[in-house]
Amino acid sequence: FSVNLLASIGFGPALGMAAVPNAVIQKYEGSFFSFIKGVLGGDLQTLAGGPLFLLLNKYFLEYGPIFNLAFGPKAFLVISDPVMSRHILRTATTDQYCKGMLAEILEPIMGKGLIPADPATWRVRRRAIVPGFHKKWLNRMVTLFNERAEILSNDLKMKEGKVVDMEERFCSVTLDIIGKAVFNYDFGSVTNESPIVKAVYRVLREAEHRSSSFIPYWNLPYADQWMGGQVEFRRDMTMLDDILADLINEAVSTRREASVEELEERDNADDPSLLRFLVDMRGEDLSSMTLRDDLMTMLIAGHETTAAMLTWTLFELARGDPGLFREVQHEVRTVLKGKDQPDYHDLISMKKLRYSLIEGLRLYPEPPLLIRRARTEDTLPQGSSKMGEGIKVLRGTDIFISTWNLHRSPDLWENPEKFDPTRWDRPFKNPSVKGWEGYDPDKVTGLYPNEVATDFAFLPFGGGQRKCVGDQFAVMEAAVTLSVLLKNFDFIFEGSPDDVGMKTGATIHTMNGLKMRPKVVSDDDEIPPSDGWWEKQHLKRGLSASG
Ligand code: HEM
């Protein structure tokens, strides 16, 4: 079954971009019924015949790092180039690009929270929220991560030898962590199923479905009163909003106002949450809507993203070269031998573990696309594309920056499809990519190689002013959780790694779960020998590079 979507849906608006190839989704390769379902449901994934970012990867390899994608009534400029991405994310001012259609989709859920916020709102809220992520708080969070990893570990010990869906376990532990960290609420989802936890997941699925739809079905008149999923969505949102309202009221009623400096020193042992910090901050806007939007945004932004990083890293470690798995386990068990819990310094010592997690984010970026809309006319720098100088972007143009394509570009990475955490120890550069500085390991400061060290070839947490506020939090959370698991367990795939599959929404999920059997190891067991696998990889690359 094959159909020209432009013809069948009717039109494709001109974006007015000059000298950019057009990729038009013309051939639909599914069944007649799934095509009708896709059109009626307004579902981009169905129309794309699978995850949209995979289709964009195909076009990227065919048309290069910038092309115009016409998709029925929608059109996007798709960018997979570090120099242009750097321009949009960092060089341009916050007023020049906004979140565009992402904001329209997320607004009913996140309101004016930081992710969808328009530039004016964003400026005020970002200034209020960032101080909450101060150093002492992050250290306090390491204790929380440990407590929660321990609960997960004990639960897995009880399930030893049985089949466990590790993706589901990671989603539960990260939900419990974000609930406590952001508003001191214990979802308890690692050990219990509750209607609230179910409501959170249904809201997340609805948000993901909306973000892959080109028809805003949720805006149909009274949709929340007659349309199946929308009635339930409204009920779920009301339930979550009620919980948040109670937590906010409680925090406001026990407010102890102080300056940011005083708050950084305050020991809120009972309630170290961001909500407590924001409510106590002198001069903070205490309107419950503002707080609600911020909390809801962080609940959604900080939950499945971290779970996905853990899921895909464990997947790649377990299915890859056994030498690498042994090497990372050896590092973890050596650093944590005789210790109850990893602390910040241990996380710094476990570089192979951190680089594995970051390599997981390279291959599976969350989200795989960043979305922007030009608010004013702009000219993009030439970048690595073979296009002419300066591509004009008209006001109103919708843009996808494909992190998936950037992270897997053959122009930017050696063996881009290979899970190879050792790559982060070696510099790389490609002189044919004009204006791109390449990656310099000496520029890595802190916990992970970021967008600056890679000159915007790697955007795990975005870049520029709207970069993720939770990057340090997430990397530490994932490093604590995975280290506790690798210290206590071996993991054996149930079935073949090929059964895991992949599907997408805002984050990349498995199709069938990450089914594994945990096998307990004790601290007294011999640490598996490291046969110098990591160093040998460098040697191999060095030798092959010099011929
Ligand atoms: C923004 C990824 C964890 C809160 C972003 C952006 C990315 C990202 C790519 C930029 C979006 C854009 O430019 O359009 C991730 C990943 C995570 C993670 C991969 C975990 C592995 C977290 C956590 C929190 C959080 C734990 C909160 C505790 C936010 C917020 C923003 C954001 C509030 C919006 C920032 C702004 O616009 O000023 N995240 N994130 N994220 N993230 Fe994260």
Side-chain angles (χ1 to χ4, degrees):
F1 177 71
S2 148
V3 68
N4 183 324
L5 277 185
L6 274 190
S8 64
I9 293 176
F11 60 94
L15 285 183
M17 274 106 36
V20 184
N22 278 308
V24 178
I25 299 188
Q26 311 202 46
K27 298 275 184 216
Y28 180 72
E29 317 243 330
S31 72
F32 174 76
F33 292 106
S34 62
F35 170 73
I36 295 298
K37 189 170 157 242
V39 174
L40 290 180
D43 184 351
L44 287 179
Q45 307 282 354
T46 312
L47 285 177
L52 180 63
F53 60 84
L54 292 185
L55 189 77
L56 298 187
N57 189 247
K58 194 176 127 202
Y59 288 144
F60 163 58
L61 297 173
E62 201 171 319
Y63 294 110
I66 182 162
F67 58 87
N68 181 22
L69 178 80
F71 216 118
K74 284 207 167 170
F76 304 93
L77 189 60
V78 182
I79 293 175
S80 317
D81 168 82
V83 177
M84 294 183 197
S85 304
R86 188 179 63 206
H87 173 85
I88 294 172
L89 297 176
R90 194 177 68 187
T91 315
T93 65
T94 12
D95 291 328
Q96 249 173 304
Y97 290 93
C98 64
K99 297 286 178 101
M101 71 178 220
L102 185 73
E104 287 155 17
I105 291 164
L106 292 179
E107 203 268 342
I109 301 166
M110 297 186 183
K112 285 181 176 287
L114 216 50
I115 288 187
D118 60 87
T121 311
W122 171 82
R123 247 187 293 279
V124 178
R125 294 316 301 154
R126 178 97 186 184
R127 220 175 291 136
I129 287 169
V130 165
F133 286 77
H134 59 89
K135 204 158 169 246
K136 198 168 163 207
W137 183 74
L138 286 171
N139 273 331
R140 168 69 184 79
M141 288 298 106
V142 173
T143 313
L144 170 68
F145 304 152
N146 271 300
E147 286 163 11
R148 296 298 156 157
E150 207 56 44
I151 295 174
L152 175 61
S153 181
N154 290 339
D155 180 70
L156 288 181
K157 280 179 186 160
M158 291 192 300
K159 294 179 174 140
E160 185 180 15
K162 298 202 178 106
V163 179
V164 179
D165 178 357
M166 287 307 296
E167 180 179 42
E168 182 282 321
R169 295 287 73 195
F170 286 140
C171 281
S172 295
V173 76
T174 52
L175 177 63
D176 292 351
I177 287 174
I178 204 76
K180 283 298 277 181
V182 175
F183 36 78
N184 199 31
Y185 182 81
D186 195 350
F187 286 104
S189 69
V190 167
T191 44
N192 288 309
E193 264 210 344
S194 75
I196 296 155
V197 171
K198 286 187 183 152
V200 171
Y201 283 105
R202 278 196 300 265
V203 165
L204 281 166
R205 294 291 79 78
E206 175 61 18
E208 291 197 321
H209 190 249
R210 288 183 182 194
S211 63
S212 67
S213 297
F214 62 82
I215 296 171
Y217 55 86
W218 58 95
N219 284 340
L220 290 171
Y222 306 106
D224 60 356
Q225 290 173 29
W226 58 268
M227 211 176 176
Q230 298 313 298
V231 178
E232 194 173 43
F233 176 69
R234 195 168 82 118
R235 222 180 18 235
D236 290 339
M237 283 304 290
T238 308
M239 187 195 295
L240 297 182
D241 278 343
D242 287 348
I243 293 173
L244 286 183
D246 286 348
L247 293 168
I248 291 168
N249 290 339
E250 163 72 20
V252 171
S253 69
T254 50
R255 182 175 198 216
R256 288 193 298 137
E257 196 182 327
S259 68
V260 168
E261 295 73 30
E262 287 161 347
L263 288 176
E264 285 180 5
E265 290 309 315
R266 190 178 273 178
D267 185 23
N268 282 331
D270 292 348
D271 178 3
S273 69
L274 283 173
L275 170 62
R276 181 80 272 160
F277 186 95
L278 287 171
V279 163
D280 289 347
M281 192 161 61
R282 184 162 299 140
E284 169 62 350
D285 173 4
L286 289 186
S287 101
S288 56
M289 260 342 259
T290 306
L291 286 169
R292 178 249 171 241
D293 291 351
D294 289 337
L295 300 182
M296 187 67 93
T297 300
M298 282 189 272
L299 170 66
I300 293 177
H303 165 208
E304 289 196 324
T305 42
T306 318
M309 165 156 68
L310 282 160
T311 301
W312 291 112
T313 303
L314 182 60
F315 168 76
E316 288 289 352
L317 279 174
R319 81 152 173 176
D321 187 330
L324 172 60
F325 196 88
R326 262 203 315 278
E327 186 87 29
V328 178
Q329 260 192 334
H330 180 269
E331 179 189 73
V332 168
R333 290 183 186 163
T334 308
V335 173
L336 301 185
K337 181 134 190 87
K339 291 197 171 191
D340 285 342
Q341 301 186 333
D343 60 21
Y344 179 78
H345 300 289
D346 297 327
L347 300 185
I348 294 291
S349 302
M350 294 186 284
K351 185 182 80 170
K352 293 168 187 170
L353 175 88
R354 283 185 288 112
Y355 281 13
S356 298
L357 285 162
I358 221 65
E359 181 70 350
L361 266 188
R362 183 184 69 82
L363 284 179
Y364 305 91
E366 319 291 344
L369 297 171
L370 301 180
I371 299 175
R372 292 292 187 275
R373 180 175 293 155
R375 300 176 87 223
T376 51
E377 191 175 300
D378 192 16
T379 305
L380 296 180
Q382 183 185 3
S384 58
S385 76
K386 321 272 181 304
M387 332 298 322
E389 284 293 329
I391 290 158
K392 200 166 243 191
V393 177
L394 291 190
R395 182 166 166 250
T397 303
D398 281 312
I399 297 173
F400 284 157
I401 294 177
S402 169
T403 38
W404 177 278
N405 289 350
L406 268 175
H407 292 187
R408 292 178 181 239
S409 165
D411 283 344
L412 308 174
W413 310 90
E414 184 192 61
N415 281 335
E417 302 290 329
K418 188 173 161 51
F419 181 80
D420 177 11
T422 71
R423 73 172 70 244
W424 298 104
D425 271 340
R426 299 184 291 273
F428 57 81
K429 188 164 168 54
N430 178 354
S432 69
V433 181
K434 277 195 223 152
W436 178 60
E437 294 291 321
Y439 168 60
D440 181 356
D442 290 339
K443 282 194 186 164
V444 178
T445 52
L447 287 163
Y448 72 97
N450 64 9
E451 76 288 0
V452 177
T454 56
D455 198 19
F456 283 68
F458 180 54
L459 302 173
F461 296 100
Q465 291 163 306
R466 303 221 48 170
K467 182 177 169 175
C468 180
V469 288
D471 62 333
Q472 303 289 321
F473 179 102
V475 174
M476 289 203 274
E477 176 186 1
V480 169
T481 309
L482 194 56
S483 67
V484 169
L485 293 193
L486 293 184
K487 177 174 183 259
N488 292 314
F489 301 94
D490 283 329
F491 289 94
I492 299 139
F493 266 110
E494 174 66 7
S496 152
D498 296 338
D499 298 339
V500 171
M502 187 166 69
K503 67 175 185 224
T504 188
T507 55
I508 305 168
H509 303 277
T510 72
M511 184 72 84
N512 302 308
L514 179 58
K515 308 267 176 57
M516 298 183 130
R517 288 179 195 269
K519 182 171 169 293
V520 178
V521 292
S522 107
D523 219 18
D524 301 332
D525 289 355
E526 202 186 323
I527 296 175
S530 159
D531 57 3
W533 185 92
W534 194 279
E535 281 68 28
K536 279 187 207 151
Q537 291 304 304
H538 289 317
L539 214 56
K540 235 168 45 192
R541 304 266 173 250
L543 287 177
S544 67
S546 62

